[in-house]
Amino acid sequence: MAIIEIKNLSKTYKVYQKQEGLLASVRGLFHREHKEVHAVRDINMTVEEGEFVAFLGPNGAGKTTTLKLLSGVINPDGGTATVMGHVPWERENEYRRKFALVMGQKNQLWWDLPALESFRLNQHIYRVPKQVFEETRDTLCEMLDVTRLLGQPVRELSLGERMKMELIAALLHQPEVLFLDEPTIGLDVVAQHKIQKFLKSYQQERNNTIILTSHYMKDIEALCKRVVIIANGSIYHDGSLEDIVDRFSGDKIVTLHLAESRALDGLANLPNVIEIEAPKIKFRVERDEVGKVLSQILGAHAVDDIVVEDPPLEEVISNVFSEAEKSQEAELAARSNN
């Protein structure tokens, strides 16, 4: 069952072009120059119930704008979208009670008050019954191990602790759809891992539909099976994480642990060597050549261990972003010429 349906959704901003210098600033008071920025261009996407979707793209690609459109924060210039049967920008109260938006760079908690006070405010805003509120709050606090911090002012919490409180505040009314915009930005590895673990457990238990944007590929690997990539406001790829690695990575990384260090002398001239640390050597091989290359090496040298793996996901996604931006720029140039 489709929970989110997007058809030809578009959003364009007019951005004031301020020129340098006092005279240009005075001139700008009477004659302003603007340029159009197409944040989202005719995107189409369907998300099924219970999916955990990664929504990726370089900075300025249109990710946050799309989430703001789906949460009704801004209105589109064209196209349609429905979330659980509701049109987001109509801002119906019934819809507002069914979704939550968490932005890693925006605070919803009152800075000088304990998080518990903000939780109570959300309880009244969303009209959550007292017993349901208390049970949900206690369960979430226990899962994220922050019960002891509920009476502490938010400004005194660490970034990781604050982010956990932000998630709890967003989930108190038990939303069916959750939009997460870089929820682990700026967090250390330990805090990232704890939030990943929480989101995975919570989503599996509740079968929520979640769209996640993140620049941390560990988030994507840990949580998402489906990845949508957007560049210059248009969707470039929509498929599984495995599809992306297979399609956009032509290499494998091979690590050999040789039986004798002196055998490295005969392998040092291999093309695309990444690292040599006796008795190990790491190098790149084209996917189609792995079997052939290993066969030749094993025929000439004794090897204790072999590891064949895909390149780091960060590297693969970076390559995808570059290809996507070039492809979209070429398409836009072709359109303008026509």
Side-chain angles (χ1 to χ4, degrees), residues 84-95:
M84 297 173 287
H86 299 274
V87 177
W89 42 90
E90 291 181 356
R91 302 182 180 92
E92 302 168 88
N93 285 335
E94 185 182 355
Y95 174 57

Side-chain angles (χ1 to χ4, degrees), residues 3-75:
I3 292 293
I4 300 172
E5 292 185 285
I6 302 172
K7 295 180 181 178
N8 302 317
L9 194 62
S10 300
K11 180 65 179 179
T12 301
Y13 294 102
K14 280 189 175 181
V15 180
Y16 169 49
Q17 297 291 96
K18 186 181 183 303
Q19 302 299 319
E20 185 179 0
L22 179 60
L23 183 60
S25 296
V26 174
R27 191 184 303 119
L29 295 174
F30 305 96
H31 178 70
R32 287 179 171 253
E33 296 182 4
H34 296 82
K35 75 171 183 178
E36 288 190 342
V37 176
H38 299 282
V40 175
R41 303 172 186 263
D42 297 319
I43 67 170
N44 295 275
M45 184 170 69
T46 300
V47 179
E48 301 295 323
E49 182 179 6
E51 278 197 281
F52 205 135
V53 180
F55 197 50
L56 307 183
N59 291 329
K63 307 183 298 297
T64 300
T65 298
T66 302
L67 294 192
K68 287 181 177 179
L69 287 166
L70 293 178
S71 56
V73 175
I74 57 177
N75 295 346

Side-chain angles (χ1 to χ4, degrees), residues 272-285:
N272 302 316
V273 172
I274 299 172
E275 180 184 10
I276 297 178
E277 185 178 338
K280 292 192 298 184
I281 182 170
K282 181 184 290 188
F283 56 95
R284 289 180 181 270
V285 183

Side-chain angles (χ1 to χ4, degrees), residues 184 186-196 216 218-219:
T184 58
L187 303 187
D188 60 41
V189 175
V190 175
Q192 285 179 38
H193 178 70
K194 288 182 178 178
I195 288 178
Q196 289 166 8
Y216 295 115
K218 294 295 183 184
D219 290 348

Side-chain angles (χ1 to χ4, degrees), residues 63-64 67-68 100-109 111 154 158-168 170 178-188 192 195 199 211-216 219:
K63 307 183 298 297
T64 300
L67 294 192
K68 287 181 177 179
L101 170 65
V102 178
M103 305 181 76
Q105 302 185 63
K106 299 286 185 181
N107 296 323
Q108 62 176 315
L109 301 174
W111 190 250
V154 170
S158 70
L159 181 58
E161 292 166 346
R162 210 156 61 233
M163 197 63 241
K164 291 177 183 178
M165 296 297 190
E166 293 282 350
L167 283 169
I168 292 170
L178 186 58
F179 302 119
L180 300 174
D181 189 22
E182 300 192 48
T184 58
I185 188 169
L187 303 187
D188 60 41
Q192 285 179 38
I195 288 178
L199 288 172
I211 295 182
L212 165 72
T213 77
S214 179
H215 289 293
Y216 295 115
D219 290 348

Side-chain angles (χ1 to χ4, degrees), residues 301-319:
H301 304 282
V303 177
D304 289 338
D305 190 27
I306 301 173
V307 177
V308 181
E309 58 191 342
D310 290 312
L313 186 58
E314 289 85 353
E315 178 185 319
V316 177
I317 294 296
S318 176
N319 293 337

Side-chain angles (χ1 to χ4, degrees), residues 51-263:
E51 278 197 281
F52 205 135
V53 180
F55 197 50
L56 307 183
N59 291 329
K63 307 183 298 297
T64 300
T65 298
T66 302
L67 294 192
K68 287 181 177 179
L69 287 166
L70 293 178
S71 56
V73 175
I74 57 177
N75 295 346
D77 296 318
T80 62
T82 58
V83 183
M84 297 173 287
H86 299 274
V87 177
W89 42 90
E90 291 181 356
R91 302 182 180 92
E92 302 168 88
N93 285 335
E94 185 182 355
Y95 174 57
R96 294 181 186 186
R97 295 189 184 102
K98 291 182 177 179
F99 85 93
L101 170 65
V102 178
M103 305 181 76
Q105 302 185 63
K106 299 286 185 181
N107 296 323
Q108 62 176 315
L109 301 174
W110 288 85
W111 190 250
D112 292 313
L113 296 178
L116 185 57
E117 297 300 321
S118 292
F119 294 169
R120 289 198 181 107
L121 177 61
N122 279 16
Q123 175 199 356
H124 292 292
I125 289 173
Y126 290 103
R127 299 178 183 176
V128 182
K130 185 172 185 262
Q131 184 177 350
V132 175
F133 163 74
E134 291 177 351
E135 289 177 355
T136 304
R137 178 200 63 201
D138 293 346
T139 299
L140 293 172
C141 288
E142 185 178 346
M143 290 176 72
L144 284 166
D145 190 26
V146 292
T147 304
R148 69 192 185 283
L149 303 172
L150 286 176
Q152 193 169 329
V154 170
R155 59 182 164 77
E156 296 179 3
L157 301 177
S158 70
L159 181 58
E161 292 166 346
R162 210 156 61 233
M163 197 63 241
K164 291 177 183 178
M165 296 297 190
E166 293 282 350
L167 283 169
I168 292 170
L171 297 173
L172 285 171
H173 62 290
Q174 300 180 359
E176 297 174 40
V177 173
L178 186 58
F179 302 119
L180 300 174
D181 189 22
E182 300 192 48
T184 58
I185 188 169
L187 303 187
D188 60 41
V189 175
V190 175
Q192 285 179 38
H193 178 70
K194 288 182 178 178
I195 288 178
Q196 289 166 8
K197 186 177 178 181
F198 165 75
L199 288 172
K200 186 173 185 178
S201 174
Y202 185 84
Q203 197 268 343
Q204 289 176 345
E205 180 182 329
R206 302 270 183 164
N207 197 39
N208 302 74
T209 303
I210 301 178
I211 295 182
L212 165 72
T213 77
S214 179
H215 289 293
Y216 295 115
M217 292 304 106
K218 294 295 183 184
D219 290 348
I220 309 307
E221 287 182 292
L223 300 170
C224 305
K225 293 181 180 179
R226 177 183 172 191
V227 176
V228 177
I229 293 177
I230 185 171
N232 293 319
S234 299
I235 290 179
Y236 177 71
H237 180 84
D238 186 349
S240 69
L241 196 56
E242 292 78 9
D243 289 341
I244 287 178
V245 174
D246 290 342
R247 177 180 171 186
F248 296 99
S249 173
D251 296 339
K252 287 282 190 180
I253 295 178
V254 178
T255 303
L256 300 180
H257 193 292
L258 301 170
E260 296 182 358
S261 296
R262 61 186 179 185

